[in-house]
Amino acid sequence: MELIQLTPWDLSIAALLVLLLAALSFRLQLGIEKQLLIASARSAVQLGLLGLVLKVIFTQSNPLAIGLLTLFMLLVASYEVMNRQQRRYQGYWGMGVGIFSMFLSSFSVTLLALLVILQADPWYTPQYLIPLLGMMLGNTMTGVALSLDSLNQNAWQQRASIEARLMLGDDWHTAIAGIRRNALRTGLIPIINAMAAAGVISIPGMMTGQILAGSAPMEAAKYQILILFLVSASIGLGSMTAIWIGSKHLFDERQRLRLDRLTQPKR
Amino acid sequence: MSQLRLHNLQVQQRPPINLEIAAGQCITIAGPSGCGKTQLLRAIADLDPHQGEVQLNGMAQEAIPAPQWRCQVGYLPAESAWWREQVGDHFTDPDPKLFESLGFTLAWLEREVSRLSTGERQRLALLRLLNNKPKVLLLDEPTANLDQTNAQQVEQLIHNYRQIEQAAVIWVTHDQSQHHSSTAHYCFKGNKLEQITWN
């Protein structure tokens, strides 16, 4: 089966729908049109650029260029994680927590998939590496952002309880254990929901893509299962790492609660 | 023997404080709100960063692991915080005699914290603290929300505890009411801590 090529005209029809939505929002004074248009324009430009970059990278398969692209993806993901925090860490930690936890989780899970499961040759074949890593990072980013936001918001709101436990001689682990558990749950709920709904309520994006591109449905399903499992491992590992080092950073060497290491929320 | 010693203790750019409280001694600290009374107690309990030295029986604060220090140097904040639903979840091995001294019974352990009054919560927080058998008590207006009968019971309990355990007590009050059992009184003048003498 041959993939049906999309013409600019085809994309314009879809874009028209978005414009229509924006006009409707403007008319009804819903106030969402600006954000909607910016986001749509961003996605069109970003994906277009990605298409161009990948075209070059796929033909050259230069390890250095691939490495740089993955680093760029990691930095942007970390920036997004930081940006989604109501109360972020001051200084280097703001970006650092995201970079470290996502590097540890997404990169190692991708590496495992490339070396052991897919056994691509060479292992850094960009046709496999880039989309895989992108899926890991994109999902892990959401998990880490949700986890850290929950951790820091709750630590702020429940600071009196945390300190009450410290005053009575509990160590910092015990004092923040409940908040940590909640943070991990918050980070993992989206992927658990996605796995529960997969195939019954929704056909996941990747499987849709493969089927549209002409793959046999069973092959597409196997790939999708692989991706879901890998993604949940990456989210879990990333969220746990971020929560671990993030919560440790909320206390100093004398186990004092140091909320002054968080910034005030904007607004 | 528990002796608390503050040497050039400095909290948030305020003038350094030097104090010595012997075992079984109780001092009061008064002063207007915002003068640093609570900050002082929090520094002694090692809840906030500070400069200078705090010693318990000659042992420096930083030589003792923080949780252990806070067990021995018990701090009762002006407003108590609770992290579980039931009172009993906050106690390990509660002492029935201690409960009775403030007019409670162990049946109160089954109660829900959210249904307690401020005064009840404050008195139970004191019991929760004393249950740890601290050697030093840092009390931030422990009778502020209590009626006279309860306030007297609390004062009596602290008095007895101090004598039996030979604990050193710092009692912060915002009014100048003198506790008959205190041996020294201090007051923040401006942001300096000065001893008050009555002749």
Side-chain angles (χ1 to χ4, degrees), chain A residues 92-108:
Chain A
Y92 295 126
W93 277 78
M95 279 277 276
V97 175
I99 294 179
F100 182 73
S101 58
M102 286 194 288
F103 179 75
L104 207 71
S105 58
S106 297
F107 279 59
S108 55

Side-chain angles (χ1 to χ4, degrees), chain A residues 160-161 163-172 181 252-258 260, chain B residues 42 46-50 61-62 64 66-67 70-71 75 77 81-83 128-129 132:
Chain A
S161 302
E163 288 203 318
R165 302 193 74 165
L166 294 177
M167 285 168 207
L168 290 166
D170 279 339
D171 59 18
W172 70 271
R181 255 199 308 277
D252 64 14
E253 74 290 349
R254 291 296 293 171
Q255 306 196 18
R256 305 172 187 124
L257 182 65
R258 296 294 299 273
D260 55 316
Chain B
R42 285 177 60 91
D46 210 0
L47 288 163
D48 284 330
H50 53 270
Q61 192 178 50
E62 58 272 16
I64 301 174
R70 295 188 191 115
C71 267
Y75 167 47
W82 304 77
W83 54 91
R128 184 172 72 175
L129 185 73
N132 267 348

Side-chain angles (χ1 to χ4, degrees), chain B residues 15-172:
Chain B
I17 291 171
N18 288 290
L19 257 184
E20 212 161 309
I21 305 151
Q25 195 193 1
C26 173
I27 69 155
T28 64
I29 295 180
S33 48
C35 69
K37 295 171 303 202
T38 301
Q39 268 64 37
L40 176 64
L41 295 192
R42 285 177 60 91
I44 301 174
D46 210 0
L47 288 163
D48 284 330
H50 53 270
Q51 273 123 45
E53 246 180 88
V54 184
Q55 288 182 352
L56 178 64
N57 296 328
M59 284 278 274
Q61 192 178 50
E62 58 272 16
I64 301 174
Q68 225 171 304
W69 174 269
R70 295 188 191 115
C71 267
Q72 295 179 7
V73 179
Y75 167 47
L76 185 73
E79 220 170 282
S80 65
W82 304 77
W83 54 91
R84 293 256 173 79
E85 272 114 72
Q86 275 197 356
V87 174
D89 296 332
H90 303 80
F91 284 84
T92 40
D93 197 17
D95 177 3
K97 278 210 199 98
L98 209 55
F99 273 68
E100 280 155 24
S101 66
L102 289 188
F104 293 111
T105 58
L106 287 189
W108 280 72
L109 293 174
E110 314 275 311
R111 303 247 181 147
E112 262 179 61
V113 175
S114 56
R115 295 178 173 234
L116 303 177
S117 71
T118 321
E120 286 164 345
R121 245 176 270 179
Q122 190 61 12
R123 289 184 295 145
L124 284 165
L126 176 64
L127 297 182
R128 184 172 72 175
L129 185 73
L130 294 184
N131 216 47
N132 267 348
K133 295 256 176 270
K135 294 175 183 164
V136 174
L137 290 181
L138 311 170
L139 308 171
D140 200 344
E141 308 196 30
T143 56
N145 294 314
L146 305 181
D147 59 42
Q148 214 183 342
T149 329
N150 280 322
Q152 276 168 1
Q153 272 187 343
V154 164
E155 280 180 37
Q156 192 61 46
L157 173 63
I158 293 168
H159 180 79
N160 293 345
Y161 181 86
R162 178 164 65 87
Q163 301 231 303
I164 295 165
E165 303 286 334
Q166 282 295 296
V169 178
I170 298 182
W171 188 307
V172 160

Side-chain angles (χ1 to χ4, degrees), chain A residues 15-259:
Chain A
L16 206 65
L17 287 177
V18 178
L19 284 177
L20 223 78
L21 187 62
L24 204 61
S25 160
F26 181 72
R27 195 61 220 257
L28 298 175
Q29 298 183 334
L30 301 178
I32 198 81
E33 63 275 3
K34 201 175 149 202
Q35 270 177 293
L36 181 73
L37 288 177
I38 291 176
S40 330
R42 257 187 78 167
S43 71
V45 172
Q46 285 167 194
L47 290 175
L49 281 177
L50 179 71
L52 288 177
V53 170
L54 286 185
K55 197 174 157 193
V56 175
I57 284 184
F58 282 2
T59 47
Q60 299 198 340
S61 200
N62 177 351
L64 184 70
I66 297 169
L68 283 177
L69 181 63
T70 61
L71 270 186
F72 177 72
M73 289 161 74
L74 177 66
L75 286 181
V76 176
S78 307
Y79 182 78
E80 282 297 321
V81 165
M82 185 179 75
N83 238 350
R84 290 187 201 176
Q85 307 299 308
Q86 287 256 27
R87 297 172 192 279
R88 40 186 94 143
Y89 297 97
Q90 305 255 23
Y92 295 126
W93 277 78
M95 279 277 276
V97 175
I99 294 179
F100 182 73
S101 58
M102 286 194 288
F103 179 75
L104 207 71
S105 58
S106 297
F107 279 59
S108 55
V109 170
T110 306
L111 212 60
L112 175 92
L114 289 172
L115 290 175
V116 181
I117 301 173
L118 297 174
Q119 297 181 1
D121 180 40
W123 64 268
Y124 54 82
T125 307
Q127 280 86 338
Y128 289 97
L129 193 152
I130 301 295
L132 259 183
L133 184 67
M135 245 169 322
M136 298 303 138
L137 275 178
N139 287 290
T140 309
M141 175 181 90
T142 309
V144 169
L146 286 173
S147 296
L148 282 179
D149 196 48
S150 156
L151 176 76
N152 292 341
Q153 285 285 47
N154 282 322
W156 182 272
Q157 274 158 16
Q158 298 174 34
R159 58 193 184 277
S161 302
I162 299 173
E163 288 203 318
R165 302 193 74 165
L166 294 177
M167 285 168 207
L168 290 166
D170 279 339
D171 59 18
W172 70 271
H173 287 284
T174 321
I176 203 157
I179 291 173
R180 257 188 189 165
R181 255 199 308 277
N182 255 329
L184 186 62
R185 221 191 341 254
T186 309
L188 286 182
I189 281 176
I191 183 64
I192 291 176
N193 285 345
M195 286 202 285
V200 192
I201 304 165
S202 67
I203 298 181
M206 186 185 121
M207 189 166 165
T208 312
Q210 274 194 307
I211 292 175
L212 285 180
S215 292
M218 201 53 215
E219 287 310 305
K222 281 194 283 186
Y223 260 93
Q224 188 61 56
I225 294 168
L226 175 73
I227 293 299
L228 279 175
F229 288 175
L230 292 178
V231 159
S232 20
S234 177
I235 294 178
L237 201 62
S239 302
M240 274 199 259
T241 312
I243 291 169
W244 172 259
I245 55 175
S247 60
K248 192 162 168 42
H249 190 59
L250 291 178
F251 297 86
D252 64 14
E253 74 290 349
R254 291 296 293 171
Q255 306 196 18
R256 305 172 187 124
L257 182 65
R258 296 294 299 273
L259 292 178

